[in-house]
Amino acid sequence: MIAYISTLSPVMQALLATLFTWGMTALGASLVFTTKTVNQKLMDGMLGSAGGIMIAASFWSLLSPAIEMSKEGPFPVWFPAAAGFLLGGFFLWIADKIIPHMHPSSHTNQTEGINPKGKRRSTLLVFAITLHNIPEGLAVGVAFGAVAAGLDSASLTAAVALAIGIGIQNLPEGAAVAMPLRREGMSRRKSFFYGQFSGMVEPIAAIIGVLAVSFMSPILPFALAFAAGAMIFVVVEEVIPGSQEYGNGDLATVCLMIGFTIMMILDVAFG
């Protein structure tokens, strides 16, 4: 598979990778066709593992290569990773304050962003997960862009491993949108549509990411760290609190550690 992917352009590589991650979101949303509810312990465990995968990917697939690339640049080695990381978190914080949305675990009156009142719950849920999928798509895009730039610290297998890890953690995200809508009486078809729709932004963000670093390779360390900062913001602000909310904190923590280990193995073994 790697041999075939290596023959494609960076844009096509990133597009195929994020079509896979979008497909995994759709797979999670498709649970609405088999059941109206998902065991809460299972959901919290899946969210915990998703958090672990995102944390591990943020370091091994993004921050570590950013630091390695910075050794050849004009800035202090630590600067691109530190600046990009903080900017990524700040970008998500600003977007969180502006875009009207509602987290899957929130009650109806717990909406965020500018003028969320009057918007349908389904729309607010999709906006929330879509907002959180932007850094994941960017991460995949800049990872393939780093490979295209020919940097020693980047490899095609590591970029593929990152896409696989993000795809795994997209499973509970699709279910986290679709299942609450189904429980509230929305049809299975509509619940599935809204659940999978949240993953559509990843291919778009990936293409933006790979094109940006292809034409402006000096920003690559900043771009990698930016994606890492945005992902860590999502994990701390939404994924971990959501996994702990229903009293399954120990299970979610263990699953987070397992998810972290899986992503670390994927990146180190194939990177």
Side-chain angles (χ1 to χ4, degrees), residues 65-122:
I67 293 169
E68 190 66 28
M69 293 170 196
S70 300
K71 292 178 180 179
E72 307 297 328
F75 301 104
V77 173
W78 55 266
F79 181 76
F85 185 82
L86 292 175
L87 283 172
F90 182 70
F91 170 79
L92 257 291
W93 180 76
I94 291 295
D96 214 43
K97 298 300 181 185
I98 294 175
I99 299 174
H101 64 284
M102 174 193 295
H103 300 300
S105 59
S106 299
H107 299 293
T108 304
N109 62 343
Q110 294 177 313
T111 54
E112 300 178 29
I114 297 175
N115 296 326
K117 303 300 182 183
K119 292 182 172 59
R120 298 175 62 181
R121 176 177 170 86
S122 56

Side-chain angles (χ1 to χ4, degrees), residues 38-52 239-240 242-260:
V38 173
N39 183 280
Q40 193 59 52
K41 285 187 176 181
L42 175 62
M43 181 62 70
D44 291 344
M46 291 171 71
L47 284 173
S49 65
V239 177
I240 291 177
S243 71
Q244 306 275 329
E245 187 174 2
Y246 295 98
N248 299 312
D250 290 343
L251 172 66
T253 301
V254 169
C255 289
L256 185 147
M257 297 185 70
I258 292 172
F260 184 98

